[in-house]
Amino acid sequence: MKSEITERITRGMSVQLTDADSFEEPVSLSEIKRFISIDASLGVHDDTLNALNTAFRRLVEDKLGISLIPRSVVVSWREFYDFSKLPYLPVNTTGSISVTDLSDAEIAEEAYELKGVGGFLTLAGDFAEGVKISYQAGGQAIDPSHQQMIKSLVYEVFVNKTSMQKALAMHVNALPI
């Protein structure tokens, strides 16, 4: 007789990000112009530099799993077992975290555990019917090494005419964790 094995696998993760209505990029246009030695009064390249700044900020956020700007984060899993770290930290305040099932019914605090581990926030629990965590992230002081990375990547692409992929590959090991 063949036995049936049922695996409990966390699966079906999705992340929805909504940037705050108003925020400043962690690196200003004037800082980028100063870093790449462009006269701040010239506006010829502003659109290009702003686009590169935003693109590389997002890339650094994705690579490090952090939020450098204020935003709402909703993380969902169709099935969730054991634990997982939450993306796009830091969370603004613990009180702003909402844990619901996929139909938005509140889940009792006794059914899960949120705890900080090694600079990350982890969710632990068993949710065969799925779980959704909503929180506000970002908006704190920016690590200067993150700002330096964004400026260096913009420099690499704008000044050295390196492709975005190559610039990232050259600098990816320098991303602070």
Side-chain angles (χ1 to χ4, degrees):
M1 179 183 214
K2 190 175 178 181
S3 67
E4 188 175 313
I5 298 173
T6 354
E7 275 190 272
R8 293 172 16 124
I9 300 173
T10 296
R11 64 186 180 90
M13 179 184 177
S14 67
V15 178
Q16 176 186 352
L17 303 172
T18 307
D19 294 349
D21 291 336
S22 171
F23 65 90
E24 291 182 21
E25 287 289 343
V27 180
S28 70
L29 180 60
S30 62
E31 289 174 291
I32 288 177
K33 285 182 167 183
R34 198 169 33 256
F35 187 78
I36 62 178
S37 301
I38 290 182
D39 184 346
S41 65
L42 297 176
V44 171
H45 301 291
D46 287 3
D47 290 343
T48 302
L49 292 172
N50 278 324
L52 287 171
N53 186 19
T54 299
F56 283 121
R57 185 248 316 145
R58 288 179 179 157
L59 205 137
V60 168
E61 288 177 322
D62 289 346
K63 290 291 181 191
L64 297 179
I66 61 174
S67 184
L68 298 175
I69 62 167
R71 62 168 44 113
S72 298
V73 181
V74 178
V75 186
S76 303
W77 287 272
R78 286 188 308 202
E79 291 182 42
F80 184 92
Y81 303 103
D82 291 329
F83 67 93
S84 183
K85 75 178 188 183
L86 298 179
Y88 296 100
L89 298 179
V91 174
N92 286 347
T93 61
T94 305
S96 68
I97 298 173
S98 166
V99 181
T100 65
D101 65 16
L102 297 180
S103 63
D104 291 327
E106 198 73 30
I107 294 177
E109 287 186 32
E110 301 80 44
Y112 64 88
E113 181 180 10
L114 284 169
K115 62 182 176 178
V117 176
F120 295 97
L121 186 63
T122 61
L123 171 73
D126 284 348
F127 306 101
E129 301 301 315
V131 64
K132 182 173 16 175
I133 299 101
S134 305
Y135 53 95
Q136 300 297 313
Q140 286 80 8
I142 306 299
D143 185 321
S145 63
H146 298 149
Q147 291 173 312
Q148 183 64 36
M149 180 57 57
I150 293 167
K151 290 187 282 191
S152 296
L153 288 165
V154 170
Y155 180 90
E156 212 41 71
V157 170
F158 187 80
V159 176
N160 292 341
K161 306 298 184 215
T162 307
S163 72
M164 288 181 82
Q165 292 84 1
K166 187 173 180 181
L168 178 62
M170 289 173 15
H171 292 279
V172 74
N173 291 332
L175 284 171
I177 296 178

